[in-house]
Amino acid sequence: MMNFKTGKIALAAGAMCLSVSAFAQTSAVYTIDPTQLKATIQPTMYGVFFEDINMGADGGLYAELVKNRSFEFDKSLMGWKITGDSTAVKVVDRKAERPDNPHYINVTVPSAQGIGLANEGFRGMGIRKGEGYNFSVIAKQAAGSNISLQIELRDESGRAIGSAIVQPRSTQWKKFNVSFAASAQAAKGSLYITLKGKGNIDLDMISLFPQHTWKNRANGLRADLVQMLADMKPGFIRFPGGCIVEGRYLVNRYQWKKTIGDVDKRETIINRWNTEFKHRSTPDYFQSFGLGFMEYFMLAEDIGAEPLPILNCGMACQFNSGELVPVDQIDPYVQDALDLIEFANGDASTKWGKLRISLGHPAKFNLKMLGVGNENWGPNYVERWTLFRDAIKKKYPQVKIVTSTGTDPDGARFDTLNTAFRGLKADILDEHYYRPPQWFRDNAKRYDSYDRNGPKIFAGEYAAHVPGVNDALKKNNLEAALAEAAFMTGLERNADVVNMASYAPLFAHVDAWQWAPDLIWFDNLEHYGTPNYYVQKLYSLNKGTNVVPILLGGQPIAGQEGIYANATINKNTKELLIKLVNVSGQSHKASLDIKGLSSYQSKAWVTTLTSDKPDVVNSLEQPQLIAPKEGSLTVAGSSLVIDAEPYSFKVIKLKMK
Ligand code: AHR
């Protein structure tokens, strides 16, 4: 809840320094005309970019606690420890029969003392006191065997904090479930299974989920992490990436059809980020696809975001193999795109629509756009893109195609693609920029000069990268967040051209990341939003419906004395919304000269993100060190006078009477 106070100068929280006076000394007069409606801001304007990087899916958003649950990692028993006679456990390969799930284990239990199997989870298992847990396994026993499984959750010291017994008595593959509660919390717990009895048993898909997932769904998502996304009210979710779309080789590209239906039939593959960075090697990083396309569509639906799938265009990552599908063999790739649209939007009379319905979702997902290619470039890309474009537009002319402009926002690669795709009248161009904060500050006017009649722009991946040490952690500090906020004034001012934007990447596990900075960090139990997260959230929640002019000496406010600003109105809620960013180390006094100020309520609401040190970061220990603080002020006289603290981002909201 906002805290509204009255009075001449009203400060609700923190060390905010707002002053309101018609007589204050001001160094700058900003003129705002809320009656002049400029660009319409699309509901999709601010979204999120999800990729399974930094253990964002397995070990992150996907709530499964067991790592390598179906023994498909390169080292089949990675993540597992055997106690007792280790020769009693054999990995069985049935690739010919089950290419989607080629391995399981066969255990011979010799006597009453049993065999133990322990799973370490994804850097441990986060266990909460009092929480219910669902254990499941697909198993079959040899005739005459009488093996039971004693399930135990253990904390870091080895103490049992929850247990149950499963008796998988079947000679045919069958799923067995048991639920139990945890008696204590553990940040790095583990799962112990003791096989007791005598005989021989086959085990596959050994799984443990918390009962409390997002919407308490089985095979669900971590509720606290989804809530962070829901709180942003994102306009879209870009999924599944990112380079993961492309794969290091085509065989490891993302294939949506292999990510729906029964989870035990979703083929596990190596995650491309497993080996990508030597300094952040993650040998236990694989993709189970438990969070697949159905879960993705439902997540988008749950939080009111448009789905924006990005599909492989017949090219593996050009930073890796650059493997190419010959154009005369590209049909299956194009068909995947057409089938995805049918899966999302088709009715029961269509093959893929029928499948969606059979998976429990009769309602259509109303897919309106999809991306062809991630960070692809060169003539091979243009050639393949054209084939996709022709096929998609023929069958689904209303579906918008998101098109890559490569890896960088400038240079020969960008220029060539930009020219080519403008010539081809692409719907939406996807621009990426991972650049130092200075670039973002310098580029706040980037889109002021873009062609108003050309393709729309999707700022599809961006983040300000402060220099790291030897390619290690680049911090999510306030300086980076303010640089992004400054740049975003330019995105918003140009909302007639820029229709979508998403920071990247979204999630990172503090013990298992490969790429930093990232928007939201987490461990097995907790999470925190970075200052960058709060910038994204404040923009998304306060985007308004139309841009209105805010000018200094007739010019956009884009870096004069380190100040960046944009103004919008929300026609529905009748609010004027002003974003003001001060990236400088000096406080800045500005007089906001608002046309028709008297038609607004005398109270204004101000949300401020600031700190006196631009290098400051949030952490699990101090998750709210930099977080928005809410305050209010009272309008007096004919203008508002704002003192913007050094290193600050403010959203000022005025409501019409
Ligand atoms: O966001 C991380 C990576 O950056 C993405 O996978 C890729 O598209 C970009 O290079």
Side-chain angles (χ1 to χ4, degrees):
M1 277 287 289
M2 284 196 189
N3 183 0
F4 304 125
K5 282 177 129 188
T6 54
K8 267 193 164 173
I9 299 174
L11 298 178
M16 287 190 294
C17 183
L18 305 171
S19 67
V20 183
S21 159
F23 312 105
Q25 294 295 311
T26 60
S27 54
V29 178
Y30 299 157
T31 55
I32 302 171
D33 185 351
T35 63
Q36 262 196 62
L37 299 196
K38 300 286 183 188
T40 299
I41 298 165
Q42 298 302 317
T44 51
M45 183 72 186
Y46 302 111
V48 293
F49 160 97
F50 180 88
E51 177 170 18
D52 190 2
I53 184 172
N54 306 316
M55 290 210 173
D58 289 310
L61 190 58
Y62 184 49
E64 171 67 87
L65 295 171
V66 176
K67 184 169 74 182
N68 193 14
R69 64 185 173 190
S70 68
F71 310 100
E72 302 303 339
F73 287 15
D74 287 353
K75 292 181 181 157
S76 305
L77 289 174
M78 189 180 253
W80 293 94
K81 262 200 196 104
I82 300 163
T83 51
D85 177 8
S86 61
T87 63
V89 179
K90 293 191 175 53
V91 177
V92 183
D93 190 333
R94 54 170 169 183
K95 199 171 174 86
E97 177 198 339
R98 287 288 306 272
D100 53 351
N101 181 355
H103 300 105
Y104 62 90
I105 56 169
N106 172 269
V107 187
T108 304
V109 184
S111 65
Q113 85 229 21
I115 297 282
L117 287 172
N119 189 273
E120 65 190 22
F122 299 90
R123 308 299 189 275
M125 294 178 183
I127 307 297
R128 291 178 202 279
K129 183 177 178 178
E131 172 78 68
Y133 288 86
N134 293 336
F135 173 89
S136 66
V137 61
I138 299 181
K140 66 179 164 67
Q141 303 206 23
S145 303
N146 66 343
I147 297 165
S148 56
L149 311 184
Q150 188 192 312
I151 314 302
E152 223 170 64
L153 271 178
R154 295 191 187 167
D155 69 9
E156 296 83 349
S157 69
R159 181 175 58 123
I161 56 171
S163 63
I165 304 271
V166 184
Q167 296 190 320
R169 298 283 152 73
S170 168
T171 54
Q172 303 301 315
W173 284 114
K174 189 175 166 195
K175 186 169 179 185
F176 297 88
N177 307 283
V178 68
S179 300
F180 57 97
S183 58
Q185 176 161 307
K188 289 187 184 283
S190 47
L191 173 71
Y192 277 75
I193 304 167
T194 310
L195 289 82
K196 291 189 167 165
K198 203 166 183 323
N200 192 280
I201 189 165
D202 294 329
L203 301 172
D204 194 17
M205 294 299 289
I206 301 177
S207 167
L208 184 73
F209 270 88
Q211 284 173 352
H212 176 50
T213 56
W214 173 252
K215 294 193 178 281
N216 291 334
R217 290 196 183 117
N219 192 51
L221 307 181
R222 231 177 98 166
D224 63 327
L225 297 183
V226 177
Q227 192 59 55
M228 286 292 276
L229 303 185
D231 290 347
M232 294 171 79
K233 295 198 194 312
F236 64 88
I237 307 179
R238 175 185 178 134
F239 179 96
C243 292
I244 215 154
V245 168
E246 304 161 42
R248 294 170 71 82
Y249 295 92
L250 283 169
V251 69
N252 283 338
R253 73 192 188 277
Y254 198 104
Q255 299 183 61
W256 74 267
K257 287 174 181 165
K258 294 187 174 185
T259 73
I260 55 172
D262 296 341
V263 285
D264 68 299
K265 299 194 176 75
R266 303 182 192 179
E267 183 188 348
T268 296
I269 62 171
I270 191 166
N271 186 303
R272 59 153 297 128
W273 298 106
N274 180 315
T275 49
E276 187 71 23
F277 298 127
K278 283 201 177 61
H279 65 287
R280 298 297 305 172
S281 151
T282 318
D284 57 341
Y285 201 2
F286 286 74
Q287 290 180 273
S288 74
F289 298 107
L291 193 185
F293 254 78
M294 192 70 184
E295 290 77 16
Y296 157 59
F297 277 130
M298 288 169 71
L299 170 65
E301 180 183 64
D302 289 344
I303 65 177
E306 295 288 345
L308 170 47
I310 306 289
L311 300 184
N312 187 291
C313 64
M315 298 172 79
C317 179
Q318 290 163 271
F319 287 119
N320 302 136
S321 71
E323 206 183 343
L324 276 178
V325 179
V327 283
D328 61 357
Q329 293 168 34
I330 207 159
D331 283 0
Y333 289 71
V334 175
Q335 196 59 47
D336 273 358
L338 298 174
D339 292 345
L340 182 66
I341 300 170
E342 188 175 291
F343 179 73
N345 298 349
D347 59 28
S349 68
T350 64
K351 173 180 169 189
W352 293 98
K354 192 170 163 196
L355 179 61
R356 183 197 71 244
I357 295 164
S358 76
L359 294 175
H361 205 282
K364 298 175 183 176
F365 288 119
N366 198 13
L367 181 65
K368 301 186 184 102
M369 53 192 168
L370 59 76
V372 174
N374 175 49
E375 277 183 350
N376 296 107
W377 68 83
N380 289 321
Y381 175 51
V382 181
E383 188 181 18
R384 281 156 187 74
W385 178 92
T386 307
L387 299 171
F388 275 82
R389 194 269 317 263
D390 291 349
I392 294 170
K393 290 291 180 186
K394 188 170 173 205
K395 193 157 183 201
Y396 301 106
Q398 75 286 6
V399 169
K400 301 273 185 238
I401 298 176
V402 170
T403 302
S404 167
T405 54
T407 52
D408 298 277
D410 43 39
R413 228 178 243 167
F414 174 83
D415 292 342
T416 311
L417 289 177
N418 193 37
T419 306
F421 287 123
R422 283 176 185 275
L424 287 163
K425 303 212 176 313
D427 297 321
I428 303 168
L429 296 181
D430 177 11
E431 297 189 357
H432 293 185
Y433 14 87
Y434 297 103
R435 288 290 189 271
Q438 187 66 45
W439 185 93
F440 284 85
R441 296 191 290 260
D442 291 347
N443 277 272
K445 288 169 123 176
R446 177 179 176 90
Y447 296 108
D448 291 8
S449 54
Y450 265 50
D451 179 2
R452 304 343 258 184
N453 301 312
K456 300 301 178 193
I457 297 298
F458 171 29
E461 292 185 31
Y462 65 91
H465 282 197
V466 294
V469 181
N470 294 335
D471 257 354
L473 179 68
K474 294 186 177 75
K475 289 183 186 173
N476 280 102
N477 65 15
L478 181 63
E479 183 197 0
L482 292 179
E484 290 148 11
F487 179 74
M488 290 169 79
T489 58
L491 299 182
E492 201 172 79
R493 182 173 59 251
N494 290 287
D496 55 330
V497 170
V498 182
N499 283 185
M500 293 186 292
S502 46
Y503 181 99
L506 183 56
F507 285 121
H509 192 301
V510 290
D511 296 329
W513 59 272
Q514 294 80 43
W515 177 296
D518 305 288
L519 206 60
I520 298 166
W521 288 78
F522 59 89
D523 67 5
N524 297 332
L525 289 172
E526 309 296 339
H527 65 263
Y528 69 90
T530 57
N532 318 69
Y533 170 82
Y534 291 115
V535 165
Q536 294 294 320
K537 183 174 166 186
L538 285 171
Y539 265 94
S540 182
L541 298 186
N542 297 288
K543 59 182 172 298
T545 55
N546 292 82
V547 177
V548 297
I550 176 168
L551 300 170
L552 170 64
Q555 295 300 314
I557 301 158
Q560 300 93 317
E561 293 183 37
I563 301 296
Y564 299 78
N566 191 51
T568 63
I569 61 148
N570 186 326
K571 283 199 287 196
N572 306 321
T573 55
K574 298 197 174 3
E575 289 167 343
L576 171 63
L577 300 149
I578 300 156
K579 282 133 197 147
L580 194 71
V581 187
N582 182 3
V583 301
S584 81
Q586 277 80 51
S587 65
H588 183 90
K589 194 174 277 186
S591 172
L592 307 186
D593 194 351
I594 300 166
K595 188 168 181 191
L597 184 61
S598 60
S599 55
Y600 288 87
Q601 294 176 16
S602 59
K603 276 184 233 162
W605 289 265
V606 182
T607 308
T608 303
L609 188 73
T610 191
S611 164
D612 53 359
K613 295 184 198 69
D615 195 35
V616 72
V617 295
N618 287 338
S619 61
L620 286 173
E621 294 71 35
Q622 291 186 291
Q624 297 271 309
L625 195 59
I626 311 181
K629 306 254 186 330
E630 286 163 5
S632 65
L633 55 85
T634 304
V635 175
S638 58
S639 67
L640 287 182
V641 178
I642 303 289
D643 249 339
E645 303 86 337
Y647 312 120
S648 62
F649 171 42
K650 289 182 186 299
V651 178
I652 302 150
K653 187 191 285 185
L654 289 101
K655 291 185 185 227
M656 283 196 109
K657 284 178 184 161

